[in-house]
């Protein structure tokens, strides 16, 4: 791939900005055109990027393209992961699925629904916590609404344990391996769900990027 400012999707070439031989000088309007087109390919013709969401998308783009100046202005630390919060149906999961395509040279993260991780724990036990605490980049989808885990009669706050493992990994790898998450919950609700210790680790692990709580449900 000679020019990282260009991406080909469905036989169409999209420009994300200009490449000066070393760096891509990104153009946000061009990025939006690409994301709209890629979103339609991924999720179907009904997909669209809403004007009301462009500010959130702009922050996410700064993060993923590692635009240090704009990240600093927005209070985003490129070394941490992203915790994308917002009401049900505002498009968090779609955006996290979509944005990794913006930077094809970065190691992609997989999306893992938290309830599936808990179901896995119920069958396989603590091996699941080890598996998800490992060295793959990951985005935990729908954090905080998963059920409590139960294996051989013992209850376990599975995602709380997984987050503690990911925090240890973050410290060991100096943030080379990213952990992301989406959630419908606010900070107080997350603390109630996982306790103060996990919540304080989450502050170190994630940049919080939040939709307005009145954002429309796009699935209606």
């Amino acid at each position: 791939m000679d020019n990282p400012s260009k991406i080909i999707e469905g036989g169409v070439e999209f420009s994300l900005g200009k490449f000066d031989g070393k760096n891509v000088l990104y153009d946000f309007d061009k990025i939006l055109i690409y994301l709209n087109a890629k979103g339609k390919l991924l999720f179907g013709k009904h997909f669209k990027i809403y004007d009301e969401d462009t500010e959130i998308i702009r922050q996410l783009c700064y993060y993923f393209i590692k635009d240090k100046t704009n990240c600093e202005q927005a209070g985003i630390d490129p070394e941490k992961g992203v915790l994308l919060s917002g009401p049900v149906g505002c498009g968090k999961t779609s955006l996290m699925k979509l944005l990794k395509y913006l930077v094809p040279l970065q190691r992609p993260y997989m999306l893992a629904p938290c309830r599936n991780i808990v179901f896995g724990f119920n069958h396989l036990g603590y091996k699941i916590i080890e598996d998800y605490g490992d060295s793959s980049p990951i985005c935990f989808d729908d954090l905080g609404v998963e059920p409590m885990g139960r294996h051989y009669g013992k209850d376990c706050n599975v995602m709380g344990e997984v987050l503690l493992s990911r925090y240890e990994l973050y410290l060991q790898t100096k943030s080379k391996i990213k952990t992301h998450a989406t959630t419908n919950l606010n900070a107080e609700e997350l603390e109630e769900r996982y306790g103060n210790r996990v919540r304080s680790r989450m502050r170190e692990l994630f940049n919080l990027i939040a939709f307005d709580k009145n954002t429309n449900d796009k699935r209606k």
Side-chain angles (χ1 to χ4, degrees):
M1 188 183 200
D2 299 325
N3 187 340
S5 72
K6 298 198 184 310
I7 298 181
I8 292 172
E9 292 290 353
V12 180
E13 183 178 87
F14 292 89
S15 167
L16 305 179
K18 293 193 181 92
F19 184 54
D20 67 3
K22 280 189 182 169
N23 300 303
V24 180
L25 307 166
Y26 285 95
D27 177 325
F28 185 63
D29 292 331
K30 288 180 176 172
I31 286 176
L32 283 182
I33 291 168
Y34 167 69
L35 291 177
N36 238 326
K38 181 66 178 175
K40 284 181 167 50
L41 288 172
L42 283 176
F43 309 119
K45 288 196 200 86
H46 62 278
F47 178 84
K48 66 179 259 194
I49 284 179
Y50 293 80
D51 290 346
E52 68 194 64
D53 297 341
T54 50
E55 200 39 56
I56 288 275
I57 294 168
R58 190 186 290 272
Q59 288 181 39
L60 288 166
C61 288
Y62 291 154
Y63 171 82
F64 281 107
I65 65 179
K66 297 191 161 103
D67 180 331
K68 287 196 174 116
T69 310
N70 280 310
C71 277
E72 208 169 290
Q73 285 173 355
I76 294 168
D77 180 348
E79 300 300 313
K80 296 180 180 182
V82 164
L83 176 63
L84 186 59
S85 85
V88 172
C90 68
K92 302 179 294 293
T93 304
S94 301
L95 280 180
M96 290 308 283
K97 281 181 179 168
L98 180 58
L99 278 154
K100 62 182 177 183
Y101 292 98
L102 195 54
V103 279
L105 298 177
Q106 286 180 27
R107 190 176 168 197
Y109 50 85
M110 69 169 195
L111 216 85
C114 293
R115 48 185 296 123
N116 293 6
I117 297 173
V118 174
F119 293 149
F121 173 86
N122 294 346
H123 290 293
L124 301 169
Y126 287 87
K127 181 182 180 300
I128 284 288
I129 291 170
E130 281 170 37
D131 289 350
Y132 284 99
D134 80 352
S135 57
S136 307
I138 199 162
C139 177
F140 296 116
D141 193 32
D142 249 355
L143 183 67
V145 293
E146 74 281 351
M148 185 64 94
R150 194 170 178 82
H151 185 66
Y152 283 121
K154 279 192 175 164
D155 284 345
C156 175
N157 191 330
V158 177
M159 287 312 302
E161 293 299 323
V162 169
L163 288 170
L164 290 173
S165 298
R166 296 298 295 189
Y167 174 73
E168 293 302 321
L169 180 75
Y170 171 77
L171 293 182
Q172 289 160 16
T173 60
K174 295 283 183 284
S175 77
K176 297 274 188 299
I177 295 159
K178 295 286 193 285
T179 304
H180 306 299
T182 70
T183 185
N184 305 332
L185 305 187
N186 62 30
E188 290 75 32
E189 291 165 326
L190 285 168
E191 188 158 326
E192 203 173 294
R193 183 78 175 75
Y194 297 114
N196 184 276
R197 180 166 166 244
V198 174
R199 174 77 188 114
S200 73
R201 301 289 189 274
M202 286 174 76
R203 282 192 196 98
E204 293 180 61
L205 203 52
F206 297 121
N207 293 288
L208 176 63
I209 297 180
F211 279 89
D212 186 284
K213 62 180 189 295
N214 300 318
T215 304
N216 293 329
D217 185 339
K218 301 181 176 71
R219 295 185 290 201
K220 287 181 177 169

